[in-house]
Amino acid sequence: AARPDDTPEEIVHRLTSTAYPADIPQLDAYAALTTVLGDAPVRARAAEGPVTVRDTASADRAANRATAFVLLGTAGVLAVLWAVIAVPRARARGWRPADTGRD
């Protein structure tokens, strides 16, 4: 949207030339919009070789365990809060339902 007259090849060049090199390249949208590239002709870069993808299974399992821990911890805290608030009030009423004011 910042450069509506760019061709698809120019957009690809801008995105790939401003990406952070890493095992899996990460795009930087801010750099892609603000970097002033030279007037060199846009050429598609040939792949330097096969791209290897890291195995993230152990990180996924750790994230799943952390999510389960947070959810169970939240449920436990809510159960304790309910017990602290509701049980004394119910005991004071003699374990009868609260009067709703309807006759």
Side-chain angles (χ1 to χ4, degrees):
R3 294 178 176 83
D5 297 332
D6 283 355
T7 65
E9 292 81 19
E10 290 171 331
I11 294 170
V12 168
H13 174 66
R14 178 172 298 281
L15 289 174
T16 55
S17 65
T18 58
Y20 292 118
D23 291 336
I24 299 173
Q26 299 174 356
L27 295 178
D28 183 359
Y30 181 77
L33 290 175
T34 58
T35 302
V36 177
L37 300 177
D39 293 333
V42 177
R43 293 178 302 211
R45 291 190 294 178
E48 296 172 0
V51 175
T52 57
V53 179
R54 291 183 298 142
D55 181 19
T56 60
S58 62
D60 293 341
R61 283 192 300 274
N64 290 340
R65 282 193 305 269
T67 301
F69 179 74
V70 167
L71 291 175
L72 290 174
T74 303
V77 167
L78 290 175
V80 168
L81 286 175
W82 176 81
V84 166
I85 294 170
V87 170
R89 296 181 82 190
R91 185 180 300 152
R93 286 193 312 267
W95 300 100
R96 289 183 312 274
D99 183 21
T100 60
R102 296 185 205 172
D103 289 327

